[in-house]
Amino acid sequence: MIKKILLVSALVLSACGYTAVYEKTAQQMQQVYIGKVQVAMNDRLPGERRVAQLVNRRLSQVFTGVEGDPYTLNLSMEEGRRTLAVLRDATEDRFEVALSGRVDLVDSKGVTVFTKNVVSSAPYNVESSPYSTEAGKDRARQSAAESLTTDVIQSISFFLHGQK
């Protein structure tokens, strides 16, 4: 009896109209060309190009379009740093790398059809060794870049899902 109830409920629930977000958008995501990924900063910080390269590589893995496809994705980012913790002697002990960006999805006519501001951050510690501090900062940059990229991919996917 219980098996019959489970079978009937499974059949009823499977007919509820659920569809995966990526199911309809997979074909459209292949038609998005990565136009520009850049980090705009006043001060040149070491590693800023690395962040743009990481984000561009990850977006290119998901959006596999070529120039001339229906959509072009442009992303401009800015990297900042802020203090999270200060020791009693006024030395800074913990920082946060913050990436903020603006995503623009432009159609083939040059009209911006989707815009979103994205923000991501990751903390790192100031270590006794300068090399350790820089290594922590690089890991924080990579973490923030991955988080920002995931947010961009989800946002574009939701937008494209609503287009069909």
Side-chain angles (χ1 to χ4, degrees), residues 13 30 36 53 71 75 82 104 132 140 156:
L13 288 176
Q30 293 174 355
K36 238 187 336 186
Q53 290 170 345
Y71 296 107
L75 174 62
R82 70 179 189 157
D104 293 318
S132 298
I156 297 297

Side-chain angles (χ1 to χ4, degrees), residues 79-91:
E79 181 180 327
R81 181 182 84 167
R82 70 179 189 157
T83 303
L84 292 180
V86 179
L87 298 175
R88 288 184 186 181
D89 63 353
T91 58

Side-chain angles (χ1 to χ4, degrees), residues 33-38 56 59 72-76 102 104:
Y33 170 68
I34 306 301
K36 238 187 336 186
V37 176
Q38 64 185 10
N56 193 359
L59 290 175
T72 302
L73 177 68
N74 297 320
L75 174 62
S76 60
R102 178 185 167 101
D104 293 318

Side-chain angles (χ1 to χ4, degrees), residues 14-143:
S14 67
C16 69
Y18 169 79
T19 58
V21 171
Y22 295 113
E23 182 181 350
K24 291 181 181 179
T25 60
Q27 190 175 34
Q28 283 185 315
M29 288 175 79
Q30 293 174 355
Q31 297 175 355
V32 175
Y33 170 68
I34 306 301
K36 238 187 336 186
V37 176
Q38 64 185 10
V39 178
M41 299 192 59
N42 297 334
D43 301 330
R44 306 289 286 175
L45 293 177
E48 112 184 25
R49 263 186 56 202
R50 178 79 174 130
V51 170
Q53 290 170 345
L54 287 170
V55 171
N56 193 359
R57 185 184 73 211
R58 177 73 173 113
L59 290 175
S60 296
Q61 290 172 346
V62 174
F63 303 112
T64 57
V66 294
E67 195 169 354
D69 276 343
Y71 296 107
T72 302
L73 177 68
N74 297 320
L75 174 62
S76 60
M77 296 178 293
E78 187 172 327
E79 181 180 327
R81 181 182 84 167
R82 70 179 189 157
T83 303
L84 292 180
V86 179
L87 298 175
R88 288 184 186 181
D89 63 353
T91 58
E92 295 166 321
D93 187 46
R94 189 164 173 84
F95 287 107
E96 179 179 58
V97 171
L99 290 176
S100 59
R102 178 185 167 101
V103 180
D104 293 318
L105 189 65
V106 181
D107 66 4
S108 57
K109 298 172 188 166
V111 178
T112 302
V113 293
F114 177 77
T115 300
K116 183 177 181 183
N117 294 324
V118 290
V119 178
S120 178
S121 62
Y124 67 96
N125 292 326
V126 175
E127 304 292 338
S128 57
S129 162
Y131 177 76
S132 298
T133 302
E134 284 302 314
K137 186 176 184 178
D138 286 343
R139 281 192 304 276
R141 257 193 197 120
Q142 290 175 3
S143 177

